[in-house]
Every structure is written in C-alpha cells, then in structure tokens.
Amino acid sequence: MKPKIVPAILKDALRTLVRALRKPATVRYPEVRVEVPEGFRGPPWVDLSKCVGCGLCARDCPSGAIRMVGMADGGRRVPVVDLARCIFCSQCSESCPKGAIRAGREFKIAVSDSGDLVRDFRPLLIPGEHEE
Amino acid sequence: MRKAPGKQAVLTEELARAREVLEEALGERMTSWSPAGARRAWADVEPGSHIRAVKALKTCFSELRLAALTGMDLGDELRLYYHLRMGGSILTLRMPVDKGKPSVESLTPLIPGADLHEREVFDMLGVFFEGHPDLRRLLLPDDAPEGFHPLRKEIEARVLRAERTSPILMPVATEERGPVLTLVIGPQHPALHEPERFVFKVDGEVVVDVDIRIGYAHRGIEEAAEHRTYIRDLYLCERVCGICNVAHSLCYCLTVEDLLGLEVPRRAQFLRVVAAELNRLHSHMLLLGVAAEEMGFRTLFMYIWRDREVVMELMEMLTGNRVMSSFNRIGGVSRDVKPELADKMRSRLPELRRRLEHYEEVFETDPTILARTEKIGLLSREEAISLCAAGPTLRASGVEFDVRAEDPYAAYDELSSFRTVARREGDNLARYLARLEECLVSVDVIDEVLAELPGGPIRVRAPRRVGPGEAVRTVEAPRGELLYYIRADGSDRPARIKIRTPTFTNLAPLRKMLQGVYVADIPVTLASIDPCFSCTDRAVFLDVRTGRRWSCYLDDLLSGRGLGD
C-alpha cells in the first residue's frame, strides 16, 4: 500500500480535472424536454372501438386496476383503468384478444387528486364506430 | 424442461450415485425414488430418516449444500422437503411430519447453514426441530401468539391481518458481566432500503458474534401467491425484489413451464439471457457503488452510478422500463428485439466495458479500497460450503459453482463467451472483484447473444390451468442461486410456492464473516454479500457494566464521535 499512494492520487486528480471539463452527465429536467425510448411501457390506452367487453384484461390484471363498467346504451361492458393501482406491466394488452389495449408513451402522470387517475375511455368513443 | 415431453432423460452421475447411497443407507426407509428430467430427483423417505440420508450423502458429496427447506401443510399432515444441491443436480427428500406431534430432528448440527431455514419453517408451520441451537421466530414478531403459524391451513389470511402484535421491539437481553458489549443496529434506517436488526456482541472494537433478525419487511408473498392465478402471480413474484426482478420472473416462469412441459422457443431463450445479464449488471454496479460509499469513497459511488445509467437505458430500450422489466412471460418473453435495436444496444457496450475495466483497476489498486477490504470478512471454502453460501459469496471463497454453468437454463448452455468467475481469497475484496469480473462476462454475453439472435417466434401460448405436479428450479440471480418450488393441483392457482432468495441463505455465512472484524468494518462486510436489506446507520449502545444507554449514528461512531465519555 505504501509505495503508490502519491502517483495514484495524482493520477486520480488528473482524471477528475479532465472530467470536470466535459459536459455534465445530468439533464436540466424539466426545463429540457426528455423523450422516452420507443416501446416505452406507459399507461394502458384502450381503444373502445375494438373492445368486445370480454373482461379478460380485468381478470388478469395483477393489481386489480381494471374495472368493467356498462356503456351508456346498456350494451357491452368496457374497461376503466385506475392508474393509481396500475403497475404498468402491460399484461392487459397481452390478454386482450382484439388488440384493443396498448401501452401509452405518457410518463408525466402525477396529479394532486388520485381520482383524476381513473381513465374512462367511454367519452372518446364515437357512436357507431364499434365493429361487430 | 427443454426436451420434448415424454422423452426419458438420462440421470446425471450425481443423482445415479445419490440413489445408490440412499438405497444403501436407508434400505426400506426410502419408499420411492422418482427422477424428473435429468437434473432433478424426488425421494420419499420415512419420518426421521432424513438425518441418516443427509449424513450418507454428505460423505459422498463434499460440496453438498442445503438449497432450501420447504414446509407445507397438506391438510392432514405436514411435509418437509429438503432440497439438496449436489453439483448440477437437485435431490429433494420428501418427508411427512405428524401434525399432532410436529417434531423432527434438526439438520443444523450436520449442516450449519440449515439454521435459518429451519427457523423459517418453525415460524411459518410450527415444526419443532430437536437439537436446533436457537429455535426462535424469524419472520413474525417476537410476541406473535404461541402456536400461531400462518402457513398452517387452519389459519385464514383474514385472521392473519386481524392478529395484533406490539409495534415495539422486544428489548435485547444483555449479559450483565464481562467485557462483551451488546450493540444493537436497526431495524430502523433513515436513509437506505430495508429494515433488519443486528445484535452485535462486541469486545472492545472487535465483533465477537452477531444475531441477525429479519422479517420486518415480511409481506406474506408465499401465502398471497396461493390466492392468485398463475398469470397474476408472475407479477407478484417479480416484485419480491425490485433489483433482481428479472431473476425472479425468470425462475417463476421456468418452474411453471416445467410443470406444463412447455417448450420455450429458442429466440425467447436468448432474449431471456439478455434481460437477465442486464439485470445482473444493474445489480452489481449498484452494489459496487454502494460499497464505495460505505468505504467513504463517495466520488467512486457517483461515477459507478453514472455509468450504470447506460445499463438502465439499455434495459428501458429492451423491456420498456428502467427497472421493472415485465419481460418474462410463461412460455416466452413479452416483446421482440428488432435488428436495429439490437445494433443500437450493442453500440453502447464498448463504452460500458471500458468503464468496467477502469473500475476493476480501481478496485484492484486503490489504497483506500484495499485498506478497507483486503483480508477482512474472511470466509473459508469449507465454511462457505457448510454454511450454504450462494452466488458471488460462494465463488469468492473458491467454490466454482454457478447455476448458469452447472444447471443451465435459458440459452446459457449454448454460449461461448460465458465462463464461471471464481476467486480463492474469500475476503471482502474477493467478493467485490468477483462481481466486477462477472460484470465484464455479462457484457460479453450480451454482445454475443445480440449478435447471434436466432430467428423464430418469441412465445408459445400457455394454458391457464396447470396439471397436478411439483417442480423446483433455480437461476443464478445477481446475488446468488435463487430457488422456486411450485406445487400445482390442476387448478389455475398454485397450491404452494416456495421462494428461497439468495440473501436468505447468505445470512449464515455473513454471520461467520462478521466474527472478528472491527466495528468500523461492519458496513463494508455487510455490503460484500450484497444483502437485500440494509441496516447500518443508527446504533443503540448499552454499557453492560453500568447499564447506561445512549444512541448515536454509526457515521459518528466511525469517526470517533458519539461514543460518550
């Protein structure tokens, strides 16, 4: 241990100096926009025009984040996703036999009221769009 | 099980020999022998004959270790499963235990590493191990009602939650005389991950012995898994440990696939290796950074963690998330890798490799690190085996055992760049260097797999119900061998899941390592097994001679402040 202390310290000091002149490793988030990579596994997004209301997503959801609710016309039942419970595992999109659920790219989902995290996709459905 | 169902596999040499040994030692007391695949065998033995069996096997196999001890309640009787690791094979001794008088002879005098395993079974199922040196609760609170053993079938999960225990810790009994002080550390920790309590017996500045009390983060996952479907259990098991989530989901999937007799496509096997090795890099680099910080080398911690970001980004590209991968599925993996993505991932590897080589040099030569790790926390080869160490902790003590090489899963048996990393020294430095070397091997493995990904599907459909049967699988998690045992009863829910995590089995070796180190070396030695908990900040001192009690932070203790006058 004794012999090499001084050269080792000098070497490390030099290395630190070189590093200090480079640009920082961190990003000035949130001033600087950050992009998530392609294939990011974000909140589930349900396309109700493809949904047939089988309920497999709700059955397989490991955290019980999906609830089936009736459509206003009293027809099929469709999923409502509670992001407060969601663990973003994408099992729902795998269980869906119609490919109606996919993972979104959204990552800033913090809200001050957890009720706002319940995603109801019914208002987005244009009547008559559902393919039978 | 990758072979086609129905094809009879040839038993490994170890198992063939083990059968002869057992037949000779037990005779009629071994009631059945059933091999499952090439590397697994189940032997039914009569109550009380397990000691004789293990004794005979131990003389024959010098590296025999207890991989896990599974206890279960089958309604009218209890069963104990001794999973014995012999080279690349696992032999399971199945032994019934009378529910009216649940008492068996302890294995601990024979295999000291069985200590905590038996305490866990006692705690969860109320089996008494005669001759066990210290049979106390391990996971439940000290003041849990007597006779309350939650994995017994007569105890409902609801009752479990209603059961109130005192939130206040039992006081630590200290000896009234002698030079030995009792030093209590934990379970509360202001900064780090998980709560554990360590009761050190210190003589001056030297640790004489330590009692490790775990269970403060016990979540009852094994019980919870019995109430969920196989699909939902996958995500539950993935969350046993956030850091090594790929190892957990992979081991779970392998076990269920074994039960189903599913053949996973080749491409999925290779992709599983990529995820598993990225996970290992992530875990090892995290630990090396933490170790540097424990040594008081904070700049190194920051550099390593900065470079770890490369691994996190690769993980995000591959699985869609930095930490929780959700990548393994029963029957394959969740998403494919396009050639462009594979190239993009490969292009980041040289940079990572360069940095890792630099850190290897730092750990090998830096005087600060050497002073804090060399010849400290020693664990000999014999101790590592008898205390059933796992993973880098075992390999740093000279035992060349890596599940990836000895009991290969996924595509590890087809890779040319994979090699087992073992060292001989058995000290803290060896454990850190073994991990660094493993990181370099992981980079090579990822590069090789991404360059030569075979084509084909990434997944096969798996049925929801799993026929009756039982299977045990292990994977090499970053911290060591991780074991899953699953018993299926034909429904869509498992009848029993047993999870034996590597840290659990590394606690007995840790106790050995800590004996004889200075108080100041406790944090570095603790970190050297990469424990899945942390503890070392706040300490309560009890002066046994005067009964005076005071507290201080371990940081203050290390710098000499806080010791009172």
Side-chain angles (χ1 to χ4, degrees):
Chain A
M1 249 167 278
K2 274 168 246 156
K4 282 189 197 146
I5 286 188
V6 175
I9 290 174
L10 284 178
K11 201 174 158 191
D12 284 349
L14 188 71
R15 207 173 256 145
T16 312
L17 194 71
V18 172
R19 286 263 154 218
L21 298 175
R22 290 198 195 160
K23 76 173 178 36
T26 47
V27 180
R28 285 183 62 83
Y29 183 80
E31 286 98 70
V32 177
R33 260 174 71 101
V34 180
E35 283 293 322
V36 288
E38 197 187 327
F40 176 75
R41 218 173 56 235
W45 187 263
V46 187
D47 181 354
L48 287 191
S49 65
K50 290 182 186 164
C51 176
V52 290
C54 66
L56 276 177
C57 50
R59 182 177 150 183
D60 284 345
C61 177
S63 59
I66 302 180
R67 201 161 42 93
M68 298 302 284
V69 294
M71 291 290 280
D73 58 9
R76 69 212 152 94
R77 294 165 73 77
V78 294
V80 165
V81 183
D82 183 359
L83 292 188
R85 293 191 69 97
C86 181
I87 56 171
F88 310 103
C89 64
S90 282
Q91 176 62 45
C92 47
S93 61
E94 296 211 10
S95 294
C96 182
K98 294 287 172 191
I101 309 180
R102 59 179 172 78
R105 286 175 57 80
E106 204 183 341
F107 66 95
K108 280 197 263 187
I109 53 169
V111 290
S112 45
D113 179 3
S114 67
D116 295 342
L117 285 172
V118 178
R119 295 272 161 100
D120 188 346
F121 302 94
R122 284 173 294 181
L124 299 178
L125 183 69
I126 303 153
E129 208 183 282
H130 176 54
E131 45 183 59
E132 279 298 345
Chain B
M1 224 186 290
R2 249 161 295 142
K3 59 183 184 355
K7 194 174 120 195
Q8 192 61 45
V10 183
L11 271 188
T12 53
E13 234 172 81
E14 294 114 14
L15 287 178
R17 184 116 174 270
R19 182 179 187 177
E20 284 168 25
V21 171
L22 283 180
E23 273 170 354
E24 200 192 309
L26 298 180
E28 291 291 301
R29 303 187 71 185
M30 182 170 84
T31 48
S32 85
W33 170 274
S34 39
R39 296 175 189 276
R40 298 285 181 275
W42 309 80
D44 283 305
V45 299
E46 280 180 15
S49 52
H50 60 298
I51 297 289
R52 189 194 284 235
V54 174
K55 217 176 247 171
L57 288 168
K58 221 185 145 196
T59 45
C60 186
F61 301 98
S62 60
E63 290 189 10
L64 178 113
R65 298 186 301 284
L66 180 70
L69 174 57
T70 306
M72 69 186 88
D73 185 354
L74 295 180
D76 47 352
E77 63 168 20
L78 303 174
R79 281 265 190 103
L80 287 184
Y81 281 35
Y82 292 86
H83 305 283
L84 302 170
R85 173 52 91 180
M86 301 178 302
S89 317
I90 292 180
L91 167 66
T92 304
L93 300 178
R94 297 188 287 207
M95 190 173 75
V97 178
D98 182 13
K99 214 171 177 180
K101 192 181 158 290
S103 169
V104 296
E105 210 180 318
S106 167
L107 206 59
T108 310
L110 203 57
I111 300 180
D115 178 2
L116 293 182
H117 294 274
E118 289 184 340
R119 271 177 72 185
E120 186 195 4
V121 172
F122 161 71
D123 199 1
M124 291 290 120
L125 281 154
V127 177
F128 291 89
F129 292 90
E130 283 159 34
H132 188 285
D134 187 22
L135 200 62
R136 282 174 296 139
R137 294 230 182 240
L138 183 69
L139 298 168
L140 294 192
D142 288 336
D143 62 344
E146 204 175 319
F148 181 77
H149 301 288
L151 278 184
R152 286 284 185 97
K153 283 280 173 279
E154 60 265 22
I155 290 179
E156 289 251 336
R158 272 174 225 291
V159 182
L160 202 74
R161 264 179 250 125
E163 207 62 59
R164 288 250 174 262
T165 50
S166 160
I168 297 158
L169 282 172
M170 287 287 167
V172 177
T174 56
E175 289 128 53
E176 290 300 320
R177 281 193 196 81
V180 177
L181 291 181
T182 303
L183 174 64
V184 187
I185 297 182
Q188 308 302 345
H189 191 295
L192 275 168
H193 344 279
E194 289 153 290
E196 311 302 317
R197 188 174 71 175
F198 288 74
V199 179
F200 291 98
K201 298 247 182 290
V202 293
D203 180 359
E205 247 198 288
V206 179
V207 176
V208 181
D209 200 1
V210 53
D211 176 39
I212 303 168
R213 181 67 162 79
I214 58 171
Y216 298 102
H218 184 62
R219 293 160 286 171
I221 282 187
E222 290 182 10
E223 167 89 26
E226 291 171 19
H227 301 280
R228 285 164 171 76
T229 61
Y230 283 98
I231 292 175
R232 295 174 68 175
D233 274 342
L234 171 59
Y235 302 98
L236 183 67
C237 291
E238 196 167 35
R239 278 156 183 80
V240 170
C241 170
I243 295 174
C244 39
N245 66 79
V246 179
H248 277 275
S249 63
L250 179 54
C251 200
Y252 174 82
C253 289
L254 288 172
T255 319
V256 176
E257 284 154 12
D258 249 16
L259 285 165
L260 289 167
L262 267 193
E263 193 155 355
V264 176
R266 235 173 131 241
R267 188 175 174 86
Q269 306 272 22
F270 276 73
L271 288 174
R272 280 177 171 184
V273 171
V274 179
E277 292 308 314
L278 278 175
N279 192 210
R280 189 181 319 279
L281 277 170
H282 151 46
S283 173
H284 281 357
M285 290 181 81
L286 180 138
L287 169 82
L288 291 165
V290 169
E293 201 191 17
E294 300 286 13
M295 292 172 209
F297 200 162
R298 205 158 277 184
T299 41
L300 181 61
F301 155 68
M302 289 185 179
Y303 276 130
I304 295 183
W305 275 47
R306 183 202 60 188
D307 292 325
R308 178 172 151 272
E309 280 303 303
V310 176
V311 181
M312 310 307 285
E313 280 164 24
L314 290 177
M315 195 71 163
E316 197 177 21
M317 286 180 207
L318 178 71
T319 68
N321 207 310
R322 285 162 54 88
V323 179
M324 295 312 291
S325 63
S326 291
F327 190 62
N328 293 304
R329 300 281 202 243
I330 301 166
V333 294
S334 66
R335 49 171 79 193
D336 205 354
V337 170
K338 289 181 197 138
E340 308 87 69
L341 180 61
D343 290 340
K344 199 169 158 197
M345 287 174 72
R346 283 185 73 201
S347 70
R348 303 292 301 274
L349 295 176
E351 168 199 349
L352 188 63
R353 158 167 275 284
R354 230 181 3 261
R355 295 302 298 169
L356 285 167
E357 276 165 356
H358 168 63
Y359 295 130
E360 196 177 26
E361 189 199 326
V362 171
F363 269 81
E364 274 170 353
T365 57
D366 187 272
T368 316
I369 294 174
L370 293 180
R372 297 300 309 276
T373 58
E374 215 174 9
K375 298 198 174 60
I376 293 169
L378 288 167
L379 184 75
S380 72
R381 188 176 192 278
E382 291 67 38
E383 287 160 354
I385 292 170
S386 70
L387 293 169
C388 306
T393 310
L394 177 71
R395 290 192 288 276
S397 292
V399 184
E400 261 193 58
F401 175 83
D402 191 313
V403 185
R404 292 172 286 173
E406 306 289 325
D407 189 1
Y409 51 93
Y412 283 108
D413 48 351
E414 297 181 46
L415 302 175
S416 59
S417 56
F418 173 70
R419 63 186 169 85
T420 303
V421 174
R423 300 186 73 89
R424 229 171 282 144
E425 301 86 346
D427 57 1
N428 287 343
L429 183 63
R431 286 186 281 277
Y432 291 128
L433 286 177
R435 290 199 171 85
L436 258 169
E437 255 181 81
E438 269 184 29
C439 284
L440 289 166
V441 173
S442 292
V443 174
D444 288 343
V445 167
I446 294 169
D447 195 41
E448 183 191 342
V449 171
L450 286 176
E452 292 161 25
L453 268 182
I458 56 158
R459 200 168 168 193
V460 288
R461 270 191 76 84
R464 282 172 181 266
R465 286 171 187 278
V466 179
E470 47 192 354
V472 57
R473 283 304 290 254
T474 69
V475 301
E476 187 69 32
R479 294 177 172 88
E481 183 177 25
L482 166 72
L483 180 142
Y484 267 68
Y485 162 84
I486 299 181
R487 182 189 179 86
D489 59 2
S491 71
D492 61 351
R493 280 143 211 247
R496 173 87 169 94
I497 291 190
K498 160 80 186 179
I499 306 164
R500 202 275 288 137
T501 57
T503 303
F504 186 78
T505 199
N506 273 335
L507 286 178
L510 173 66
R511 187 174 171 187
K512 184 78 214 162
M513 285 171 213
L514 286 170
Q515 290 168 5
V517 306
Y518 287 118
V519 171
D521 290 327
I522 292 173
V524 184
T525 308
L526 258 179
S528 80
I529 71 154
D530 191 0
C532 217
F533 53 70
S534 126
C535 62
T536 50
D537 235 45
R538 195 177 147 74
V540 173
F541 290 81
L542 256 176
D543 189 328
V544 286
R545 276 163 296 186
T546 60
R548 199 162 74 85
R549 207 184 153 100
W550 72 96
S551 326
C552 76
Y553 288 96
L554 201 62
D555 281 347
D556 295 347
L557 174 69
L558 297 183
S559 60
R561 284 170 285 153
L563 272 176
D565 38 32

